[in-house]
Amino acid sequence: MTKGATLKAILIEQGGSRQKVGLAELPRDRLPDGDVTVRIACSTLNYKDALAITGKSPVVRSFPMVPGIDFAGTVEESSNANFKPGDRVVLNGWGVGERHWGGLAELARVKGEWLVPLEPALTFAQAMSIGTAGYTAMLCVMALERHGVRPGSGEVLVTGAAGGVGSVATVLLAKLGYAVVAVTGRVEESDYLKKLGAKRILPRSQFSEPGKPLAKEQWAGAIDVAGGQVLANVCASMRYRGVVAACGLAGGMGFPATVAPFILRGVTLVGIDSVMCPRDERQEAWRRLARDLDPTLLDAMTERILLEDCVPVADRLMAGAVRGRVIVQISDE
Ligand code: NDP
């Protein structure tokens, strides 16, 4: 086969009762339909990618699948009027890496309407240090702002703070002047979290056992990646008219709560979905990320790996042993 006729990718295949996953060399003509082909510079390993690669949850909707819910790269071919070869672009969500081949590959072919032009201030590596986790953290911050939480309102809680969404949320909130209280199951990461801007650290154990319907009023805002019992306890400890942005289920899909915080304290629970988020809001989130994030802190929270490392690192991520963000360097750009 001639050079450029194939691409390297992580491929998940159905193999009897267990899925098979590994690095593969695929003919380029197996790329799915789409009006823009992107040469990927960087992708990332998000929680959802780790679920897909390990098969721990039915994230993948059709097989064979190239996982990777986000990527940044350069347009190579386009029949879409909004993009031309050489444009720098970023993609998050839209079912990419779940229903449509994704970013853990040298090339992706996608619908142009899923792409966002990469902010000029960001390199590919910085964009992917942010990745879907960071873009989701920004959507959470924007939701708190939309519902009236301001730096002077009081302390803002971030759960799963040493993970991807939590690390970026901590950095963003601290930079914007909020007093951030970081909740973590890894108190040994306290120095890391303080470096990101957390004022105080609380152990996750304080939130993981069943609690009262209403606890002491403490937080003006909260960003929760855990769900489950943690989210229920966060809601119970919000101040009057506090706002919780809920985006994750790292601690469980359930929500063993009562309505007390909502009907007695006027607490607002805002759901955050990054996958189908409308384009305007995505672009606003990326503009804000380019402006409000300190690049040196991005470096401090990022581990770089290669495509061939994705499978073992996905196991580490599922075990809660990865700190911050993991970017997958695909080309030298
Ligand atoms: P990471 O794996 O990087 O971080 C998750 C963090 O959650 C861990 O680092 C850990 O933080 C904490 N955690 C792990 N297990 C538990 C548990 N049993 N109970 C409470 N907390 C726990 O994942 P991401 O940051 O990429 O994603 C976080 C969550 O957000 C995931 O559920 C993901 O699916 C979701 N998500 C949702 C999006 C959306 O569109 N709604 C988009 C992106 C992510 P620590 O060690 O500090 O306790």
Side-chain angles (χ1 to χ4, degrees):
M1 222 167 282
T2 57
K3 189 170 181 292
T6 64
L7 63 131
K8 288 203 181 77
I10 298 292
L11 194 69
I12 304 176
E13 293 172 288
Q14 242 166 353
S17 59
R18 289 195 60 195
Q19 65 178 32
K20 283 196 310 184
V21 54
L23 188 61
E25 181 108 21
L26 303 168
R28 187 182 167 116
D29 61 14
R30 280 189 66 190
L31 283 170
D33 288 344
D35 54 2
V36 183
T37 305
V38 179
R39 181 149 298 274
I40 298 174
C42 285
S43 184
T44 87
L45 265 194
N46 291 279
Y47 190 86
K48 203 185 244 177
D49 302 319
L51 286 175
I53 289 171
T54 58
K56 287 234 162 74
S57 193
V59 165
V60 174
R61 301 296 172 180
S62 71
F63 293 91
M65 179 56 57
V66 174
I69 62 170
D70 50 20
F71 62 75
T74 308
V75 172
E76 196 172 274
E77 291 170 354
S78 171
S79 57
N80 181 303
N82 295 320
F83 295 97
K84 58 179 188 321
D87 285 350
R88 295 173 353 120
V89 291
V90 62
L91 181 143
N92 302 101
W94 298 117
V96 169
E98 302 177 56
R99 287 186 292 273
H100 187 100
W101 282 15
L104 292 173
E106 290 175 319
L107 289 171
R109 189 174 294 138
V110 296
K111 287 188 183 174
E113 66 206 54
W114 296 340
L115 295 167
V116 168
L118 181 57
E119 287 293 312
L122 294 173
T123 65
F124 292 127
Q126 285 168 340
M128 286 295 103
S129 283
I130 296 167
T132 296
Y135 144 69
T136 303
M138 189 76 236
L139 293 178
C140 291
V141 171
M142 287 160 56
L144 296 186
E145 291 174 344
R146 204 165 51 241
H147 289 84
V149 182
R150 299 283 175 265
S153 305
E155 289 184 321
V156 174
L157 199 69
V158 175
T159 64
V165 175
S167 291
V168 181
T170 301
V171 169
L172 281 170
L173 289 166
K175 171 89 189 300
L176 291 166
Y178 291 88
V180 181
V181 179
V183 179
T184 182
R186 292 178 272 177
V187 280
E188 67 276 16
E189 296 294 0
S190 294
D191 286 348
Y192 163 74
L193 291 168
K194 287 205 168 135
K195 191 171 166 198
L196 300 188
K199 288 264 182 312
R200 296 201 285 137
I201 318 292
L202 295 177
R204 187 200 301 160
S205 55
Q206 215 166 297
F207 293 83
S208 46
E209 296 302 320
K212 294 184 187 154
L214 290 175
K216 184 178 165 202
E217 290 187 42
Q218 296 186 76
W219 326 114
I223 294 179
D224 178 67
V225 310
Q229 190 63 58
V230 171
L231 176 60
N233 287 330
V234 169
C235 290
S237 55
M238 296 308 292
R239 283 195 190 175
Y240 190 73
R241 292 214 156 184
V243 183
V244 183
C247 72
L249 43 54
M253 180 82 116
F255 184 40
T258 76
V259 296
F262 311 109
I263 63 171
L264 298 176
R265 290 187 181 159
V267 168
T268 299
L269 181 57
V270 189
I272 303 297
D273 168 54
S274 66
V275 178
M276 303 306 287
C277 176
R279 199 180 160 79
D280 288 356
E281 209 176 316
R282 286 170 186 263
Q283 286 187 300
E284 174 61 10
W286 277 104
R287 267 194 297 276
R288 294 273 313 265
L289 286 159
R291 193 187 74 192
D292 294 341
L293 265 181
D294 177 348
T296 55
L297 287 177
L298 269 184
D299 283 348
M301 70 170 77
T302 302
E303 171 182 341
R304 286 180 189 233
I305 64 169
L306 300 173
L307 263 183
E308 46 268 44
D309 306 320
C310 287
V311 176
V313 177
D315 286 327
R316 268 178 54 216
L317 201 135
M318 285 318 317
V322 166
R323 183 172 93 176
R325 300 278 301 133
V326 180
I327 69 172
V328 185
Q329 191 76 47
I330 292 174
S331 81
D332 292 334
E333 280 187 271

